[in-house]
Amino acid sequence: FERTDMKIVVNRALCDGNGNCEAVAPDLFHLDDDDQLHVLVAEIGEDMRERAELAVRACPKNALSLEG
C-alpha cells in the first residue's frame, strides 16, 4: 500500500498574497482580506493533485511546494 497524500507547504517569507493559487484552485487556497494565504486542505489526495500542482506553478514567487 503506497501512500499518495501530499501536503501543500507555503513559504510565508516568499508569499506576497498575489492570489494566483486561489484563482487556479479556490477549493485549496483562500486569500483573506489581509492578503494572508490559507491552505484549506491539510492533505492533497490524488483527485486534487493536478490542481495543486497547477497552483504551485502559478505562484510567481515560488512560495508554494508539495511535500509527501
Side-chain angles (χ1 to χ4, degrees):
F1 174 69
E2 186 177 328
R3 186 181 168 123
T4 59
D5 288 348
M6 301 193 81
K7 178 179 166 187
I8 297 171
V9 178
V10 181
N11 181 330
R12 302 277 174 198
L14 294 177
C15 179
D16 68 358
N18 64 54
N20 287 7
C21 55
E22 183 182 33
V24 169
D27 56 329
L28 303 179
F29 301 94
H30 172 68
L31 200 60
D32 69 18
D33 294 338
D34 295 322
D35 287 340
Q36 291 295 309
L37 182 64
H38 301 275
V39 178
L40 302 177
V41 179
E43 291 191 355
I44 303 303
E46 198 58 41
D47 59 325
M48 300 177 210
R49 185 176 181 147
E50 186 175 343
R51 287 190 314 285
E53 289 173 348
L54 287 172
V56 167
R57 286 196 298 271
C59 180
K61 300 292 185 176
N62 295 317
L64 300 175
S65 61
L66 292 177
E67 289 183 1

Short mmCIF file of all heavy atoms in Angstrom, two decimals:
data_model
loop_
_atom_site.label_atom_id
_atom_site.label_comp_id
_atom_site.label_asym_id
_atom_site.label_seq_id
_atom_site.Cartn_x
_atom_site.Cartn_y
_atom_site.Cartn_z
N PHE A 1 0.85 -1.19 0.00
CA PHE A 1 0.00 0.00 0.00
C PHE A 1 0.88 1.23 0.00
O PHE A 1 1.66 1.45 0.92
CB PHE A 1 -0.92 -0.01 1.23
CG PHE A 1 -1.73 1.24 1.40
CD1 PHE A 1 -2.75 1.55 0.53
CD2 PHE A 1 -1.46 2.12 2.43
CE1 PHE A 1 -3.50 2.69 0.68
CE2 PHE A 1 -2.19 3.27 2.59
CZ PHE A 1 -3.23 3.55 1.71
N GLU A 2 0.79 2.01 -1.05
CA GLU A 2 1.61 3.21 -1.17
C GLU A 2 0.77 4.43 -0.85
O GLU A 2 -0.30 4.62 -1.41
CB GLU A 2 2.18 3.32 -2.58
CG GLU A 2 3.15 4.46 -2.74
CD GLU A 2 3.76 4.51 -4.12
OE1 GLU A 2 3.93 3.44 -4.72
OE2 GLU A 2 4.03 5.61 -4.60
N ARG A 3 1.27 5.26 0.01
CA ARG A 3 0.56 6.48 0.38
C ARG A 3 0.77 7.54 -0.68
O ARG A 3 1.91 7.81 -1.08
CB ARG A 3 1.09 6.96 1.73
CG ARG A 3 0.31 8.11 2.27
CD ARG A 3 0.91 8.54 3.59
NE ARG A 3 0.32 9.81 3.93
CZ ARG A 3 -0.33 10.04 5.05
NH1 ARG A 3 -0.46 9.09 5.93
NH2 ARG A 3 -0.83 11.22 5.30
N THR A 4 -0.32 8.15 -1.15
CA THR A 4 -0.20 9.15 -2.21
C THR A 4 -0.56 10.54 -1.73
O THR A 4 -0.49 11.48 -2.50
CB THR A 4 -1.10 8.78 -3.40
OG1 THR A 4 -2.45 8.71 -2.94
CG2 THR A 4 -0.68 7.49 -4.03
N ASP A 5 -0.95 10.69 -0.47
CA ASP A 5 -1.33 12.02 0.02
C ASP A 5 -0.11 12.93 0.06
O ASP A 5 0.98 12.53 0.43
CB ASP A 5 -1.93 11.93 1.42
CG ASP A 5 -3.32 11.32 1.40
OD1 ASP A 5 -3.89 11.18 0.29
OD2 ASP A 5 -3.83 10.98 2.48
N MET A 6 -0.34 14.17 -0.30
CA MET A 6 0.70 15.17 -0.27
C MET A 6 0.21 16.36 0.54
O MET A 6 -0.98 16.52 0.77
CB MET A 6 1.05 15.62 -1.69
CG MET A 6 1.51 14.49 -2.57
SD MET A 6 2.25 15.09 -4.08
CE MET A 6 3.86 15.47 -3.48
N LYS A 7 1.13 17.19 0.92
CA LYS A 7 0.82 18.36 1.73
C LYS A 7 1.33 19.60 0.98
O LYS A 7 2.43 19.59 0.43
CB LYS A 7 1.52 18.22 3.08
CG LYS A 7 1.34 19.37 4.01
CD LYS A 7 2.07 19.08 5.32
CE LYS A 7 2.19 20.33 6.12
NZ LYS A 7 3.02 20.16 7.31
N ILE A 8 0.53 20.67 1.00
CA ILE A 8 0.94 21.94 0.43
C ILE A 8 1.72 22.71 1.49
O ILE A 8 1.26 22.85 2.62
CB ILE A 8 -0.27 22.78 -0.02
CG1 ILE A 8 -1.03 22.07 -1.12
CG2 ILE A 8 0.19 24.16 -0.48
CD1 ILE A 8 -2.35 22.70 -1.47
N VAL A 9 2.89 23.18 1.12
CA VAL A 9 3.73 23.95 2.03
C VAL A 9 3.85 25.37 1.48
O VAL A 9 4.13 25.57 0.30
CB VAL A 9 5.13 23.31 2.17
CG1 VAL A 9 6.02 24.14 3.07
CG2 VAL A 9 5.00 21.89 2.69
N VAL A 10 3.62 26.35 2.36
CA VAL A 10 3.71 27.76 1.99
C VAL A 10 4.93 28.36 2.67
O VAL A 10 5.07 28.30 3.89
CB VAL A 10 2.46 28.55 2.43
CG1 VAL A 10 2.58 30.02 2.02
CG2 VAL A 10 1.20 27.94 1.87
N ASN A 11 5.82 28.94 1.87
CA ASN A 11 6.94 29.70 2.43
C ASN A 11 6.42 31.12 2.66
O ASN A 11 6.28 31.90 1.72
CB ASN A 11 8.12 29.68 1.46
CG ASN A 11 9.32 30.43 2.00
OD1 ASN A 11 9.21 31.37 2.76
ND2 ASN A 11 10.49 29.99 1.58
N ARG A 12 6.08 31.42 3.91
CA ARG A 12 5.47 32.72 4.24
C ARG A 12 6.39 33.90 3.94
O ARG A 12 5.92 34.99 3.66
CB ARG A 12 5.06 32.74 5.72
CG ARG A 12 4.10 31.65 6.10
CD ARG A 12 2.70 32.01 5.77
NE ARG A 12 1.80 30.87 6.03
CZ ARG A 12 0.60 30.77 5.54
NH1 ARG A 12 0.14 31.71 4.76
NH2 ARG A 12 -0.15 29.72 5.78
N ALA A 13 7.69 33.67 3.98
CA ALA A 13 8.63 34.75 3.69
C ALA A 13 8.59 35.15 2.21
O ALA A 13 8.88 36.30 1.87
CB ALA A 13 10.05 34.34 4.08
N LEU A 14 8.21 34.21 1.34
CA LEU A 14 8.16 34.49 -0.09
C LEU A 14 6.78 34.90 -0.58
O LEU A 14 6.66 35.63 -1.56
CB LEU A 14 8.62 33.26 -0.89
CG LEU A 14 10.08 32.84 -0.73
CD1 LEU A 14 10.34 31.57 -1.51
CD2 LEU A 14 11.01 33.95 -1.17
N CYS A 15 5.73 34.45 0.09
CA CYS A 15 4.36 34.71 -0.36
C CYS A 15 4.04 36.19 -0.25
O CYS A 15 4.19 36.79 0.82
CB CYS A 15 3.38 33.89 0.48
SG CYS A 15 1.65 34.16 0.03
N ASP A 16 3.59 36.78 -1.36
CA ASP A 16 3.21 38.19 -1.32
C ASP A 16 1.71 38.40 -1.52
O ASP A 16 1.25 39.51 -1.72
CB ASP A 16 4.02 39.02 -2.32
CG ASP A 16 3.69 38.71 -3.76
OD1 ASP A 16 2.86 37.80 -4.02
OD2 ASP A 16 4.26 39.36 -4.65
N GLY A 17 0.95 37.31 -1.46
CA GLY A 17 -0.51 37.43 -1.49
C GLY A 17 -1.08 37.85 -2.82
O GLY A 17 -2.11 38.52 -2.87
N ASN A 18 -0.47 37.45 -3.92
CA ASN A 18 -1.00 37.86 -5.23
C ASN A 18 -2.24 37.08 -5.63
O ASN A 18 -2.98 37.52 -6.49
CB ASN A 18 0.09 37.78 -6.31
CG ASN A 18 0.57 36.37 -6.54
OD1 ASN A 18 -0.24 35.49 -6.80
ND2 ASN A 18 1.86 36.16 -6.45
N GLY A 19 -2.47 35.92 -5.03
CA GLY A 19 -3.71 35.20 -5.25
C GLY A 19 -3.79 34.30 -6.47
O GLY A 19 -4.85 33.77 -6.76
N ASN A 20 -2.68 34.11 -7.18
CA ASN A 20 -2.71 33.21 -8.34
C ASN A 20 -3.13 31.81 -7.96
O ASN A 20 -3.88 31.15 -8.67
CB ASN A 20 -1.34 33.17 -9.03
CG ASN A 20 -1.02 34.43 -9.78
OD1 ASN A 20 -1.74 35.41 -9.71
ND2 ASN A 20 0.09 34.42 -10.49
N CYS A 21 -2.66 31.34 -6.81
CA CYS A 21 -3.00 29.98 -6.38
C CYS A 21 -4.50 29.85 -6.11
O CYS A 21 -5.12 28.87 -6.50
CB CYS A 21 -2.21 29.59 -5.14
SG CYS A 21 -2.38 30.72 -3.75
N GLU A 22 -5.08 30.86 -5.48
CA GLU A 22 -6.51 30.83 -5.21
C GLU A 22 -7.31 30.88 -6.51
O GLU A 22 -8.33 30.21 -6.64
CB GLU A 22 -6.91 32.00 -4.30
CG GLU A 22 -8.37 31.98 -3.93
CD GLU A 22 -8.78 33.16 -3.07
OE1 GLU A 22 -8.22 34.26 -3.24
OE2 GLU A 22 -9.67 32.96 -2.24
N ALA A 23 -6.84 31.63 -7.49
CA ALA A 23 -7.53 31.71 -8.78
C ALA A 23 -7.53 30.36 -9.48
O ALA A 23 -8.52 29.97 -10.10
CB ALA A 23 -6.87 32.78 -9.66
N VAL A 24 -6.42 29.63 -9.37
CA VAL A 24 -6.30 28.33 -10.02
C VAL A 24 -7.06 27.25 -9.25
O VAL A 24 -7.70 26.38 -9.85
CB VAL A 24 -4.80 27.94 -10.14
CG1 VAL A 24 -4.64 26.49 -10.56
CG2 VAL A 24 -4.10 28.86 -11.12
N ALA A 25 -6.99 27.30 -7.92
CA ALA A 25 -7.58 26.23 -7.09
C ALA A 25 -8.28 26.82 -5.86
O ALA A 25 -7.78 26.71 -4.74
CB ALA A 25 -6.49 25.25 -6.67
N PRO A 26 -9.43 27.45 -6.05
CA PRO A 26 -10.13 28.08 -4.92
C PRO A 26 -10.61 27.09 -3.87
O PRO A 26 -10.92 27.49 -2.75
CB PRO A 26 -11.30 28.81 -5.58
CG PRO A 26 -11.49 28.14 -6.89
CD PRO A 26 -10.14 27.63 -7.32
N ASP A 27 -10.65 25.81 -4.22
CA ASP A 27 -11.02 24.80 -3.22
C ASP A 27 -9.84 24.43 -2.33
O ASP A 27 -10.02 23.80 -1.29
CB ASP A 27 -11.57 23.55 -3.91
CG ASP A 27 -10.61 22.95 -4.92
OD1 ASP A 27 -9.82 23.71 -5.55
OD2 ASP A 27 -10.62 21.73 -5.11
N LEU A 28 -8.64 24.85 -2.70
CA LEU A 28 -7.45 24.52 -1.93
C LEU A 28 -6.85 25.71 -1.18
O LEU A 28 -6.17 25.53 -0.17
CB LEU A 28 -6.36 23.93 -2.84
CG LEU A 28 -6.74 22.69 -3.65
CD1 LEU A 28 -5.57 22.25 -4.52
CD2 LEU A 28 -7.18 21.58 -2.74
N PHE A 29 -7.10 26.93 -1.68
CA PHE A 29 -6.49 28.13 -1.12
C PHE A 29 -7.51 29.23 -0.90
O PHE A 29 -8.47 29.36 -1.65
CB PHE A 29 -5.42 28.69 -2.08
CG PHE A 29 -4.33 27.73 -2.39
CD1 PHE A 29 -4.40 26.93 -3.52
CD2 PHE A 29 -3.22 27.62 -1.58
CE1 PHE A 29 -3.40 26.04 -3.83
CE2 PHE A 29 -2.21 26.73 -1.88
CZ PHE A 29 -2.30 25.94 -3.00
N HIS A 30 -7.25 30.05 0.12
CA HIS A 30 -8.06 31.25 0.36
C HIS A 30 -7.14 32.37 0.78
O HIS A 30 -6.32 32.21 1.69
CB HIS A 30 -9.11 31.01 1.44
CG HIS A 30 -9.82 32.27 1.83
ND1 HIS A 30 -10.67 32.93 0.97
CD2 HIS A 30 -9.79 33.00 2.96
CE1 HIS A 30 -11.13 34.02 1.57
NE2 HIS A 30 -10.60 34.08 2.79
N LEU A 31 -7.26 33.51 0.13
CA LEU A 31 -6.52 34.70 0.48
C LEU A 31 -7.47 35.62 1.24
O LEU A 31 -8.51 36.03 0.70
CB LEU A 31 -6.03 35.37 -0.80
CG LEU A 31 -4.86 36.34 -0.69
CD1 LEU A 31 -3.64 35.64 -0.13
CD2 LEU A 31 -4.56 36.95 -2.03
N ASP A 32 -7.15 35.92 2.50
CA ASP A 32 -8.08 36.72 3.30
C ASP A 32 -7.91 38.21 3.02
O ASP A 32 -7.10 38.62 2.19
CB ASP A 32 -7.96 36.37 4.79
CG ASP A 32 -6.66 36.80 5.43
OD1 ASP A 32 -5.94 37.67 4.87
OD2 ASP A 32 -6.34 36.27 6.51
N ASP A 33 -8.67 39.02 3.73
CA ASP A 33 -8.67 40.47 3.49
C ASP A 33 -7.33 41.13 3.80
O ASP A 33 -7.07 42.25 3.37
CB ASP A 33 -9.78 41.14 4.31
CG ASP A 33 -11.17 40.72 3.84
OD1 ASP A 33 -11.29 40.29 2.67
OD2 ASP A 33 -12.12 40.82 4.63
N ASP A 34 -6.49 40.45 4.58
CA ASP A 34 -5.16 40.97 4.91
C ASP A 34 -4.08 40.37 4.01
O ASP A 34 -2.89 40.46 4.32
CB ASP A 34 -4.83 40.68 6.37
CG ASP A 34 -5.75 41.42 7.32
OD1 ASP A 34 -6.11 42.57 7.03
OD2 ASP A 34 -6.14 40.83 8.35
N ASP A 35 -4.50 39.74 2.91
CA ASP A 35 -3.58 39.08 1.97
C ASP A 35 -2.78 37.96 2.62
O ASP A 35 -1.65 37.67 2.21
CB ASP A 35 -2.65 40.08 1.30
CG ASP A 35 -3.37 40.92 0.26
OD1 ASP A 35 -4.45 40.51 -0.21
OD2 ASP A 35 -2.85 42.01 -0.08
N GLN A 36 -3.35 37.32 3.64
CA GLN A 36 -2.73 36.15 4.24
C GLN A 36 -3.31 34.91 3.57
O GLN A 36 -4.53 34.76 3.47
CB GLN A 36 -3.02 36.10 5.75
CG GLN A 36 -2.31 37.18 6.54
CD GLN A 36 -0.80 37.02 6.50
OE1 GLN A 36 -0.28 35.94 6.78
NE2 GLN A 36 -0.11 38.08 6.15
N LEU A 37 -2.42 34.04 3.11
CA LEU A 37 -2.85 32.84 2.42
C LEU A 37 -3.19 31.73 3.41
O LEU A 37 -2.44 31.47 4.34
CB LEU A 37 -1.74 32.36 1.47
CG LEU A 37 -2.07 31.13 0.65
CD1 LEU A 37 -3.22 31.42 -0.31
CD2 LEU A 37 -0.85 30.65 -0.10
N HIS A 38 -4.32 31.08 3.18
CA HIS A 38 -4.73 29.94 3.99
C HIS A 38 -4.87 28.72 3.08
O HIS A 38 -5.52 28.80 2.04
CB HIS A 38 -6.07 30.22 4.68
CG HIS A 38 -6.02 31.43 5.56
ND1 HIS A 38 -5.60 31.37 6.86
CD2 HIS A 38 -6.31 32.72 5.30
CE1 HIS A 38 -5.64 32.59 7.38
NE2 HIS A 38 -6.07 33.42 6.45
N VAL A 39 -4.24 27.63 3.48
CA VAL A 39 -4.40 26.36 2.78
C VAL A 39 -5.62 25.69 3.37
O VAL A 39 -5.69 25.48 4.58
CB VAL A 39 -3.14 25.48 2.92
CG1 VAL A 39 -3.34 24.15 2.22
CG2 VAL A 39 -1.92 26.20 2.36
N LEU A 40 -6.60 25.38 2.54
CA LEU A 40 -7.89 24.88 3.01
C LEU A 40 -7.93 23.38 3.20
O LEU A 40 -8.84 22.86 3.85
CB LEU A 40 -9.00 25.31 2.05
CG LEU A 40 -9.14 26.81 1.82
CD1 LEU A 40 -10.22 27.08 0.80
CD2 LEU A 40 -9.44 27.53 3.14
N VAL A 41 -6.97 22.67 2.63
CA VAL A 41 -6.97 21.21 2.69
C VAL A 41 -5.62 20.76 3.25
O VAL A 41 -4.58 21.09 2.69
CB VAL A 41 -7.20 20.61 1.28
CG1 VAL A 41 -7.17 19.10 1.33
CG2 VAL A 41 -8.50 21.10 0.70
N ALA A 42 -5.66 20.02 4.35
CA ALA A 42 -4.42 19.60 5.01
C ALA A 42 -3.62 18.63 4.16
O ALA A 42 -2.41 18.75 4.03
CB ALA A 42 -4.73 18.99 6.37
N GLU A 43 -4.30 17.64 3.57
CA GLU A 43 -3.61 16.67 2.74
C GLU A 43 -4.28 16.57 1.38
O GLU A 43 -5.50 16.49 1.29
CB GLU A 43 -3.58 15.29 3.41
CG GLU A 43 -2.70 15.27 4.63
CD GLU A 43 -2.46 13.87 5.15
OE1 GLU A 43 -3.06 12.92 4.62
OE2 GLU A 43 -1.66 13.74 6.09
N ILE A 44 -3.47 16.61 0.35
CA ILE A 44 -3.95 16.58 -1.03
C ILE A 44 -4.03 15.13 -1.48
O ILE A 44 -3.00 14.44 -1.54
CB ILE A 44 -2.98 17.35 -1.95
CG1 ILE A 44 -2.81 18.78 -1.46
CG2 ILE A 44 -3.47 17.32 -3.39
CD1 ILE A 44 -4.07 19.57 -1.35
N GLY A 45 -5.21 14.69 -1.80
CA GLY A 45 -5.38 13.36 -2.36
C GLY A 45 -5.09 13.38 -3.85
O GLY A 45 -4.90 14.44 -4.46
N GLU A 46 -5.06 12.22 -4.44
CA GLU A 46 -4.76 12.10 -5.87
C GLU A 46 -5.74 12.90 -6.72
O GLU A 46 -5.37 13.46 -7.75
CB GLU A 46 -4.77 10.62 -6.27
CG GLU A 46 -4.06 10.34 -7.57
CD GLU A 46 -2.60 10.78 -7.59
OE1 GLU A 46 -1.88 10.60 -6.60
OE2 GLU A 46 -2.19 11.33 -8.63
N ASP A 47 -7.00 13.01 -6.26
CA ASP A 47 -8.02 13.74 -7.03
C ASP A 47 -7.75 15.24 -7.07
O ASP A 47 -8.27 15.94 -7.95
CB ASP A 47 -9.41 13.47 -6.44
CG ASP A 47 -9.52 13.87 -4.99
OD1 ASP A 47 -8.52 13.72 -4.23
OD2 ASP A 47 -10.59 14.33 -4.58
N MET A 48 -6.95 15.78 -6.15
CA MET A 48 -6.66 17.21 -6.11
C MET A 48 -5.24 17.53 -6.56
O MET A 48 -4.89 18.70 -6.66
CB MET A 48 -6.81 17.72 -4.67
CG MET A 48 -8.15 17.54 -4.07
SD MET A 48 -8.08 18.13 -2.37
CE MET A 48 -9.31 17.08 -1.62
N ARG A 49 -4.47 16.52 -6.82
CA ARG A 49 -3.05 16.73 -7.08
C ARG A 49 -2.79 17.62 -8.30
O ARG A 49 -1.93 18.50 -8.25
CB ARG A 49 -2.36 15.38 -7.26
CG ARG A 49 -0.88 15.50 -7.43
CD ARG A 49 -0.23 14.15 -7.51
NE ARG A 49 1.20 14.31 -7.64
CZ ARG A 49 2.07 13.48 -7.14
NH1 ARG A 49 1.67 12.43 -6.48
NH2 ARG A 49 3.35 13.69 -7.30
N GLU A 50 -3.52 17.41 -9.38
CA GLU A 50 -3.27 18.21 -10.58
C GLU A 50 -3.52 19.69 -10.32
O GLU A 50 -2.72 20.54 -10.72
CB GLU A 50 -4.14 17.71 -11.73
CG GLU A 50 -3.82 18.42 -13.05
CD GLU A 50 -4.61 17.85 -14.22
OE1 GLU A 50 -5.15 16.73 -14.11
OE2 GLU A 50 -4.67 18.55 -15.24
N ARG A 51 -4.63 20.02 -9.64
CA ARG A 51 -4.92 21.42 -9.32
C ARG A 51 -3.87 22.01 -8.38
O ARG A 51 -3.47 23.15 -8.53
CB ARG A 51 -6.32 21.57 -8.71
CG ARG A 51 -7.43 21.40 -9.72
CD ARG A 51 -8.79 21.79 -9.19
NE ARG A 51 -9.15 21.28 -7.88
CZ ARG A 51 -9.49 20.02 -7.60
NH1 ARG A 51 -9.53 19.11 -8.57
NH2 ARG A 51 -9.81 19.66 -6.37
N ALA A 52 -3.42 21.21 -7.43
CA ALA A 52 -2.39 21.68 -6.51
C ALA A 52 -1.09 21.97 -7.26
O ALA A 52 -0.43 22.99 -7.02
CB ALA A 52 -2.15 20.65 -5.41
N GLU A 53 -0.72 21.08 -8.18
CA GLU A 53 0.50 21.30 -8.97
C GLU A 53 0.38 22.54 -9.86
O GLU A 53 1.34 23.30 -10.00
CB GLU A 53 0.81 20.07 -9.80
CG GLU A 53 1.28 18.89 -8.97
CD GLU A 53 1.44 17.61 -9.76
OE1 GLU A 53 0.96 17.53 -10.92
OE2 GLU A 53 2.04 16.66 -9.20
N LEU A 54 -0.79 22.76 -10.44
CA LEU A 54 -1.02 23.97 -11.24
C LEU A 54 -0.88 25.22 -10.38
O LEU A 54 -0.30 26.22 -10.81
CB LEU A 54 -2.40 23.94 -11.90
CG LEU A 54 -2.59 22.97 -13.05
CD1 LEU A 54 -4.06 22.90 -13.46
CD2 LEU A 54 -1.74 23.37 -14.24
N ALA A 55 -1.42 25.18 -9.18
CA ALA A 55 -1.34 26.32 -8.27
C ALA A 55 0.11 26.60 -7.87
O ALA A 55 0.53 27.76 -7.83
CB ALA A 55 -2.20 26.08 -7.04
N VAL A 56 0.87 25.55 -7.59
CA VAL A 56 2.28 25.71 -7.25
C VAL A 56 3.02 26.38 -8.40
O VAL A 56 3.79 27.32 -8.21
CB VAL A 56 2.92 24.34 -6.89
CG1 VAL A 56 4.44 24.43 -6.84
CG2 VAL A 56 2.36 23.84 -5.56
N ARG A 57 2.76 25.93 -9.63
CA ARG A 57 3.43 26.51 -10.80
C ARG A 57 2.96 27.94 -11.08
O ARG A 57 3.71 28.73 -11.66
CB ARG A 57 3.21 25.63 -12.03
CG ARG A 57 4.02 24.35 -11.99
CD ARG A 57 4.10 23.67 -13.34
NE ARG A 57 2.82 23.27 -13.88
CZ ARG A 57 2.23 22.10 -13.66
NH1 ARG A 57 2.82 21.20 -12.90
NH2 ARG A 57 1.08 21.81 -14.20
N ALA A 58 1.74 28.29 -10.66
CA ALA A 58 1.19 29.62 -10.93
C ALA A 58 1.78 30.69 -10.01
O ALA A 58 1.65 31.88 -10.27
CB ALA A 58 -0.33 29.61 -10.78
N CYS A 59 2.47 30.27 -8.94
CA CYS A 59 2.99 31.24 -7.97
C CYS A 59 4.23 31.92 -8.53
O CYS A 59 5.25 31.28 -8.76
CB CYS A 59 3.33 30.53 -6.66
SG CYS A 59 3.99 31.67 -5.42
N PRO A 60 4.16 33.25 -8.74
CA PRO A 60 5.31 33.95 -9.32
C PRO A 60 6.49 34.08 -8.35
O PRO A 60 7.60 34.34 -8.76
CB PRO A 60 4.75 35.33 -9.66
CG PRO A 60 3.60 35.51 -8.74
CD PRO A 60 3.04 34.14 -8.51
N LYS A 61 6.25 33.86 -7.07
CA LYS A 61 7.30 33.98 -6.06
C LYS A 61 7.89 32.63 -5.64
O LYS A 61 8.75 32.57 -4.77
CB LYS A 61 6.76 34.69 -4.82
CG LYS A 61 6.26 36.08 -5.07
CD LYS A 61 7.39 37.00 -5.42
CE LYS A 61 6.90 38.43 -5.55
NZ LYS A 61 7.98 39.36 -5.80
N ASN A 62 7.37 31.54 -6.24
CA ASN A 62 7.80 30.19 -5.85
C ASN A 62 7.66 29.95 -4.35
O ASN A 62 8.53 29.34 -3.71
CB ASN A 62 9.25 29.92 -6.31
CG ASN A 62 9.37 29.91 -7.80
OD1 ASN A 62 8.53 29.35 -8.50
ND2 ASN A 62 10.40 30.55 -8.32
N ALA A 63 6.56 30.45 -3.80
CA ALA A 63 6.32 30.33 -2.36
C ALA A 63 5.61 29.03 -1.99
O ALA A 63 5.47 28.73 -0.81
CB ALA A 63 5.50 31.52 -1.87
N LEU A 64 5.16 28.28 -2.98
CA LEU A 64 4.41 27.05 -2.71
C LEU A 64 5.20 25.83 -3.16
O LEU A 64 5.91 25.87 -4.16
CB LEU A 64 3.09 27.06 -3.46
CG LEU A 64 2.12 28.19 -3.14
CD1 LEU A 64 0.92 28.13 -4.06
CD2 LEU A 64 1.68 28.12 -1.69
N SER A 65 5.02 24.75 -2.40
CA SER A 65 5.61 23.48 -2.80
C SER A 65 4.71 22.35 -2.29
O SER A 65 3.86 22.57 -1.44
CB SER A 65 7.03 23.33 -2.26
OG SER A 65 7.04 23.36 -0.84
N LEU A 66 4.91 21.18 -2.87
CA LEU A 66 4.19 19.99 -2.44
C LEU A 66 5.19 19.05 -1.79
O LEU A 66 6.28 18.83 -2.33
CB LEU A 66 3.52 19.30 -3.63
CG LEU A 66 2.38 20.04 -4.29
CD1 LEU A 66 1.87 19.26 -5.49
CD2 LEU A 66 1.24 20.26 -3.31
N GLU A 67 4.80 18.50 -0.65
CA GLU A 67 5.64 17.53 0.03
C GLU A 67 4.84 16.27 0.27
O GLU A 67 3.63 16.32 0.46
CB GLU A 67 6.13 18.07 1.37
CG GLU A 67 7.15 19.17 1.26
CD GLU A 67 7.66 19.61 2.61
OE1 GLU A 67 7.23 19.07 3.64
OE2 GLU A 67 8.50 20.53 2.62
N GLY A 68 5.53 15.18 0.28
CA GLY A 68 4.85 13.92 0.54
C GLY A 68 5.43 12.85 -0.24
O GLY A 68 5.59 11.82 -0.38
#
